[in-house]
């Protein structure tokens, strides 16, 4: 697990990318070789791990081995419009942490003059850059490498610092060090926002307030066939229910996950 950038995907890794295999079964410990030195230090600090028993590790391998598959999922798990509408608008600088393939990034361009998208996984950065270029926004967003606990941005850099679905209390995916970094980068009077948060009590104990937007929400797959395919991979317990519905739009509750309708935020002291 060495090198400054991700290593090429091995033939063994490619063999695990079988369509329809659920996420927990797609990878093995041999696939951990895809991690860079910095990634391995954060995600497998003991030097080993099993993605078949550690779902968080399986997600990290997904980002690096099958970024297009992850992008298909992120594209259909759309945010509640109230979430984006709530975010501060007409600001100068926005820093997005854990940008992925741009689920939120595309929305942020309408709310700030300068956007920096920080993403640790090289394959996701490459895919995000391609999407931005295809949409004609390649010059408006700067996509950079960085981790929650080591953001490549100066103090008081942004009016809004935001993470969408990527932040957790785990040290490898945020934690106290990551939260401190996001607050360091936010200017006095600016806002730090965690969209689609988990472990809400953890954030409220650290001074964050909570906002939730009502209304029914569905995962809007491109087709019924895609709904079944992605459910088998990412929501295997709900796959039978998705098949029975026979529809491309599936309520989040059917899939057994909370909808992306909420956020936790803190306004930094001026």
């Amino acid at each position: 697990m060495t090198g400054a950038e991700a290593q090429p995907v091995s033939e063994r890794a490619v063999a695990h990318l079988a369509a329809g295999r659920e996420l927990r079964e797609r990878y093995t410990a041999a696939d951990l070789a895809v991690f860079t030195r910095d990634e391995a230090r954060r995600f497998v600090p003991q030097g080993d791990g099993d993605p078949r028993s550690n779902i968080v590790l399986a997600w990290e391998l997904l980002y690096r081995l099958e970024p297009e598959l992850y992008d298909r999922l992120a594209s259909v798990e759309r945010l509640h419009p109230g979430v984006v509408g709530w975010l501060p608008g007409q600001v100068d600088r926005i820093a997005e942490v854990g940008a992925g393939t741009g689920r939120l990034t595309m929305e942020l361009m309408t709310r700030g003059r300068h956007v920096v998208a920080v993403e640790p996984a090289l394959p996701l950065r490459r895919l995000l850059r391609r999407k931005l270029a295809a949409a004609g926004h390649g010059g408006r967003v700067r996509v950079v490498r960085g981790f929650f606990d080591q953001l490549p941005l100066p103090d008081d850099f942004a009016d809004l610092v935001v993470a969408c679905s990527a932040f957790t209390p785990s040290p490898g995916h945020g934690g106290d060090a990551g939260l401190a970094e996001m607050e360091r980068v936010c200017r006095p009077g600016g806002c730090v926002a965690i969209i689609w948060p988990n472990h809400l009590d953890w954030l409220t104990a650290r001074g964050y307030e909570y906002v939730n937007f009502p209304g029914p929400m569905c995962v809007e797959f491109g087709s019924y066939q895609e709904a079944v395919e992605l459910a088998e991979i990412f929501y295997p317990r709900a796959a039978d229910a998705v098949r029975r519905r026979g529809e491309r739009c599936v309520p989040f509750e059917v899939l057994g996950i909370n909808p992306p309708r909420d956020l936790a935020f803190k306004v930094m002291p001026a």
Side-chain angles (χ1 to χ4, degrees), residues 27-248:
Y27 318 113
T28 71
D31 297 318
L32 301 179
V34 75
F35 288 141
T36 67
R37 183 182 295 108
D38 280 347
E39 290 168 348
R41 179 167 57 84
R42 288 170 171 84
F43 306 140
V44 282
Q46 304 304 316
D48 58 4
D50 183 0
R52 299 195 173 196
S53 60
N54 184 339
I55 192 63
V56 175
L57 198 53
W59 278 98
E60 292 297 336
L61 290 172
L62 170 72
Y63 304 149
R64 290 157 179 85
L65 295 176
E66 299 182 276
E68 290 83 3
L69 176 59
Y70 167 71
D71 186 50
R72 288 176 62 194
L73 176 68
S75 297
V76 299
E77 290 182 341
R78 298 174 184 171
L79 301 174
H80 191 294
V83 169
V84 177
W86 183 93
L87 295 174
Q90 303 302 311
V91 299
D92 185 31
R93 293 175 176 173
I94 297 175
E96 181 187 7
V97 188
T101 59
R103 171 176 18 208
L104 178 63
T105 314
M106 302 296 184
E107 306 278 3
L108 293 176
M109 290 186 297
T110 66
R111 312 199 72 78
R113 285 180 285 276
H114 305 282
V115 178
V116 177
V118 182
E119 169 54 48
L122 176 60
L124 298 189
R125 294 200 303 275
R126 287 174 171 164
L127 186 50
L128 176 55
R129 289 187 182 112
R130 291 200 300 269
K131 291 173 68 174
L132 289 167
H137 302 310
R140 295 192 57 197
V141 179
R142 183 160 59 99
V143 181
V144 300
R145 174 180 179 269
F147 297 87
F148 273 107
D149 63 349
Q150 196 173 9
L151 297 178
L153 298 170
D155 295 355
D156 304 337
F157 172 80
D159 305 278
L160 170 65
V161 183
V162 59
C164 177
S165 80
F167 187 95
T168 78
S170 168
H173 301 87
D176 283 308
L179 205 60
E181 273 288 88
M182 293 180 70
E183 294 179 4
R184 175 187 67 78
V185 167
C186 191
R187 69 165 180 80
C191 179
V192 177
I194 309 295
I195 295 174
W196 206 1
N198 60 16
H199 297 89
L200 184 60
D201 290 347
W202 187 89
L203 287 166
T204 56
R206 286 155 177 78
Y208 280 71
E209 300 179 58
Y210 181 66
V211 179
N212 181 280
F213 299 90
M217 292 189 69
C218 291
V219 179
E220 300 178 34
F221 298 99
S223 65
Y224 165 66
Q225 290 75 18
E226 183 180 55
V228 172
E229 178 188 353
L230 293 184
E232 289 175 345
I233 298 171
F234 296 106
Y235 322 105
R237 294 182 179 178
D240 286 342
V242 172
R243 291 189 194 92
R244 289 194 297 270
R245 288 181 60 85
E247 300 174 0
R248 73 174 188 88

